[in-house]
Amino acid sequence: MALDRWIAFFVLLVCLAYGYTAFFTMDASLPPIMRRAAVWPSSFPKVLAVLSILLSLALLFGLESSPEKNKAEDINLAKLHEYKFGQALILIGLMLIYAFALRPLGFLASTFLFLTIGSYVLGERRYVLMVAVSAIAAGFVWYLVDVVLGIFLVPLPAFMMGG
């Protein structure tokens, strides 16, 4: 089986576990008043689980590929050493550092640093553009989540927020 099918199989297993959680365990702790609502907190995870299961099944059974697909697009295991695993591992490590830096640095600083360093790792060398896009993206996402959706995100580092 090709590598993309193995990845689709792994994603399918994760999505099945996520779907089980969304359909069977998330709603058990809802108070009775919320059970009458049209949209539950598990509504989006349920839709996400079903769509991701369908997409991973489509990849697993090869429904996305056409017969005239160029074989040069497939992953060549003979040239596996030429792929950029270092960048992927650095980005995964950067994601972990980002998750741990959210509380002490705040959302804006940690997101800005993650986007800036991540774009540098991926090869962007236009520093002014990189910094500008990272700053705008971090501010825009914080505004959407905090102000529009009303979900509080600590925007600044803890020492600047009085704690």
Side-chain angles (χ1 to χ4, degrees):
M1 186 160 43
L3 183 60
D4 57 346
R5 299 242 169 98
W6 278 108
I7 294 171
F9 179 69
F10 177 73
V11 170
L12 176 65
L13 292 178
V14 171
C15 293
L16 286 172
Y18 183 72
Y20 176 81
T21 303
F23 277 95
F24 297 110
T25 63
M26 285 182 74
D27 299 331
S29 62
L30 280 177
I33 190 98
M34 288 193 68
R35 294 183 187 203
R36 295 182 184 173
V39 178
W40 291 10
S42 65
S43 295
F44 182 70
K46 287 176 182 176
V47 170
L48 188 62
V50 169
L51 289 176
S52 57
I53 287 170
L54 290 174
L55 288 174
S56 60
L57 283 173
L59 287 171
L60 189 62
F61 294 126
L63 299 178
E64 87 290 352
S65 61
S66 60
E68 62 274 350
K69 181 182 172 187
N70 187 3
K71 288 294 181 185
E73 296 175 10
D74 288 343
I75 294 174
N76 188 352
L77 294 178
K79 295 182 179 181
L80 199 58
H81 65 282
E82 294 178 11
Y83 296 123
K84 299 185 180 191
F85 288 112
Q87 283 183 342
L89 292 175
I90 290 172
L91 283 176
I92 290 171
L94 197 58
M95 288 178 208
L96 289 172
I97 293 169
Y98 172 71
F100 288 118
L102 274 172
R103 282 192 191 260
L105 291 181
F107 181 80
L108 291 174
S110 59
T111 304
F112 171 77
L113 288 172
F114 172 74
L115 292 175
T116 304
I117 296 169
S119 60
Y120 180 81
V121 167
L122 291 175
E124 181 61 51
R125 296 298 182 258
R126 294 176 287 181
Y127 300 111
V128 174
L129 178 68
M130 186 168 55
V131 168
V133 168
S134 297
I136 291 170
F140 184 71
V141 170
W142 176 81
Y143 178 79
L144 282 178
V145 172
D146 195 65
V147 177
V148 176
L149 293 177
I151 301 169
F152 179 71
L153 285 175
V154 179
L156 300 173
F159 67 88
M160 295 177 85
M161 297 290 290

